Amino acid sequence: MSGGGTLPSVVDDGDDRIVCHVDVDCFYASCERLRDPELRGQPVVVGMGYESGEPHGAVATASYEARAFGVESAQPISAALERLPRMADARDDPSLDPAEAGYYRPVDLEYYREVAERIKTILRECADRIREVSVDEAYLDVTERTAWTVVDGRTLAEGYARYVKERIARQVGVPASVGVAPNMSAAKVASDHDKPDGLVVVEPGEVRAFFEPLSVSAVHGVGPVTARELRELGVETAGDLAAADPGILRERFGERGRTLHERARGHDDREVTPKGRPKSLSRESAFTEATDDAARQRETVAGLAADVAERAAGKDALYRTIGIKAVTPPYDVNTRERSLPGPVADADLVREVALDLLAEFAGEPIRKLGVRVSNLQFAAAEQARLDGWDRADTAECEGDVPLCDQSSLGDFDA
Ligand code: TTP
Ligand code: MG
């Protein structure tokens, strides 16, 4: 950020934080094994739209033993069956080898949710703040529970992560991979780095080196499409991405380019906040060309302010700080904010304060404007609902949608 103030609520590089990312290994298959010991150690395929004995449906997940046969998520069951026949068929058919067959089960979401609920209870006990990303995946901020201090050649954080992992194994009975790092995106990559049953620790100061050799698609937020586009630019590894020209990335991918560049460099300021309870809410709008037309600028800010206030109202959020962002050519990001004596939910006030802050830029050309409310508080009734782990949707933050957690709510600096 240059050319202006920084928002005090934005954390620095957060090198002292300790974030764990927990992701259960082949979750649905692990749940099936939990209630049917016959499946343990065996190839297991869980099919969406699958019915016993039928070839219909698609693979929701496969155990690692089944993956070794080439079975993977989203594959049609018929294709999976070609690679890995059903155990029942193999037993009846002398031309098939039961040692090269697997168990197929239909999805039973209700049961998986129950198991997820048991895991969630443990995770809640293990961290001060947790963010549930999908049915089998969560970020934990454990900064207050442990430390990066090294004792006998290991960090205390590693011991703590092992404790979390073992509690899940012992109390619930499913294997999970855990990544520990000073920020969310590095923790996410770490948990994925040594699956299944992984425990990967990336200490502060090692994040950039850890990313360096990885494929660019390992960077959280780089899906197959972005990976392909990056490769066209000659960017193959996360190290290449970290070293790439930020101007070119921004040109090609917009703000997202900046975020991905930062992540590859080991920076990720996002805080672990419960889903639906962001640290801030904001909206931005870019002009096709920089404009110094004060009326247009004010009109834009007024519109953004109304939008942000409405979203805050929709979330039953009160705010104590109102801010604006003004991007001036070439790409100087200026932020200004004002804090109020107490939390409010007042659309007129958001507009007034935002316009007042804009006045400082009178006469300057502006490329982009943003309005943000922060220091949020949520009404108590709403908190109970938002805390619920009530959805079985998955992989929400994968693919080419990198800004879908709290940063999608528009954190200026995400
Ligand atoms: P993931 O955590 O992505 O996958 P996983 O737990 O099966 O395997 P691993 O973490 O070891 O790589 O998703 C969690 C569950 O979500 C998964 O068990 C099944 C479900 N799911 C689908 O139904 N369809 C999909 O395409 C994916 C990726 C997951
Ligand atoms: Mg998983």
Side-chain angles (χ1 to χ4, degrees), residues 22-28 61 64 67 134 136-137 195:
V22 178
D23 189 327
V24 180
D25 300 322
C26 55
F27 181 55
Y28 292 1
T61 195
Y64 283 76
R67 292 180 200 190
S134 75
D136 79 328
E137 185 187 343
K195 260 182 171 293

Side-chain angles (χ1 to χ4, degrees), residues 125-185:
E125 285 171 17
C126 290
D128 297 311
R129 277 179 296 156
I130 100 168
R131 177 176 184 79
E132 298 131 24
V133 185
S134 75
V135 72
D136 79 328
E137 185 187 343
Y139 293 92
L140 280 59
D141 188 317
V142 297
T143 312
E144 304 300 321
R145 307 283 179 114
T146 180
W148 284 117
T149 316
V150 177
V151 176
D152 293 335
R154 294 221 168 125
T155 59
L156 294 176
E158 175 176 343
Y160 194 80
R162 176 161 290 117
Y163 157 77
V164 173
K165 186 172 153 65
E166 283 171 4
R167 268 191 73 177
I168 299 168
R170 199 175 60 245
Q171 291 177 240
V172 183
V174 296
S177 292
V178 180
V180 193
N183 68 54
M184 288 172 75
S185 76

Side-chain angles (χ1 to χ4, degrees), residues 150-265:
V150 177
V151 176
D152 293 335
R154 294 221 168 125
T155 59
L156 294 176
E158 175 176 343
Y160 194 80
R162 176 161 290 117
Y163 157 77
V164 173
K165 186 172 153 65
E166 283 171 4
R167 268 191 73 177
I168 299 168
R170 199 175 60 245
Q171 291 177 240
V172 183
V174 296
S177 292
V178 180
V180 193
N183 68 54
M184 288 172 75
S185 76
K188 162 92 181 163
V189 177
S191 79
D192 212 32
H193 196 61
D194 191 27
K195 260 182 171 293
D197 202 27
L199 174 59
V200 174
V201 182
V202 185
E203 292 179 41
E206 289 180 355
V207 182
R208 177 116 185 228
F210 168 69
F211 272 107
E212 184 97 26
L214 302 180
S215 150
V216 81
S217 53
V219 177
H220 186 33
V222 177
V225 177
T226 307
R228 197 166 53 241
E229 287 182 47
L230 284 167
R231 269 186 221 112
E232 282 164 15
L233 294 174
V235 176
E236 302 269 346
T237 65
D240 295 340
L241 181 57
D245 177 345
I248 293 177
L249 294 173
R250 197 197 304 264
E251 214 169 90
R252 185 79 178 247
F253 303 101
E255 274 300 290
R256 239 179 91 221
R258 191 175 77 101
T259 303
L260 297 176
H261 182 241
E262 283 299 303
R263 288 189 184 169
R265 293 163 68 87

